[in-house]
Amino acid sequence: MNHRLPTILLLMALASFHGVGHAEKADRAKPMNIEADALRHDELKQTSVFTGRVVMTKGSIVLRGARLDVRQDAEGYQHGIVTAEPGKRAFFRQKRDAAPGAPDEFIEGESEIIEYDGKADNVRFITRAELRRYRGGALSDEITGAVIVYNNLTDVFTVDGQRTAPGGQAAGATAGQGGRVRAVLSPKDPPPHSGASAPAAPGASAPALRPSGNLSGGTN
């Protein structure tokens, strides 16, 4: 049985994150600073393995986990894979650009594995993935799924639910999850200096959501 994403919910989630603020584009060019309990470096292969309470910073980016595998490709781009301790999740945090006078915004994410691709400039959250947006220190939006990919260049998020295993059980899903993408979205702030909403023009109606053929009508 193929798992089909709830398309309307997913589009709403992406629209909520997209266009509100942009991630720090300068982070891509910043050096990668890493702290850990132990390090094994291979100069020939240009790889490094950090283990034990790993903390990586790169500009406004912060990554934390139990193990970090880092490699540098021939073009000089850095790639990292953070793995959490068994039963726990690795952590990601990045500041987003905000308009002058607007509250600070941060993106935070957690999953068992976090992959950072310096060339594509994206972050991939794998297994028990959760992504949150904070505005002024308050939680604004939250998305969960099996895999979440955030592209820093395009400011686009993609979310995938659990794959359904034979027999209808979602692989790796805990009780009650059912392999669905879940989102909690806060209303956007009204434009500055806006007054009360103007009455709708005669005959005007609010746009209605159209059903999608990709929606899964049953439960997993």
Side-chain angles (χ1 to χ4, degrees), residues 20-158:
V20 177
H22 300 283
E24 293 279 355
K25 298 300 188 294
D27 288 340
R28 188 185 189 191
K30 298 292 179 64
M32 186 181 286
N33 301 290
I34 306 167
E35 294 182 8
D37 292 336
L39 163 65
R40 179 171 58 83
H41 176 72
D42 188 323
E43 182 66 25
L44 182 61
K45 296 181 179 179
Q46 286 294 293
T47 61
S48 301
V49 179
F50 299 84
T51 55
R53 299 179 298 170
V54 180
V55 179
M56 186 214 82
T57 59
K58 185 177 175 67
S60 73
I61 296 175
V62 177
L63 274 169
R64 294 200 298 263
R67 171 180 171 134
L68 170 62
D69 292 71
V70 179
R71 68 177 177 85
Q72 184 166 293
D73 61 25
E75 299 176 76
Y77 291 105
Q78 297 168 324
H79 307 260
I81 300 177
V82 182
T83 307
E85 296 180 12
K88 297 185 178 181
R89 293 187 294 180
F91 174 84
F92 168 87
R93 179 180 173 91
Q94 184 176 24
K95 188 178 184 299
R96 293 168 66 84
D97 289 331
D104 288 338
E105 293 190 15
F106 289 89
I107 290 294
E108 286 188 0
E110 293 181 90
S111 61
E112 294 183 15
I113 300 173
I114 299 177
E115 297 180 353
Y116 172 77
D117 187 332
K119 184 175 183 178
D121 204 6
N122 63 30
V123 185
R124 183 180 178 90
F125 302 86
I126 304 171
T127 309
R128 294 196 297 141
E130 180 178 345
L131 204 62
R132 302 178 296 270
R133 180 167 66 92
Y134 290 89
R135 302 184 66 192
L139 178 63
S140 177
D141 303 313
E142 183 176 15
I143 296 177
T144 62
V147 178
I148 301 175
V149 181
Y150 165 45
N151 189 290
N152 190 21
L153 295 177
T154 60
D155 286 309
V156 170
F157 294 79
T158 59

Side-chain angles (χ1 to χ4, degrees), residues 197-206:
S197 300
S205 60

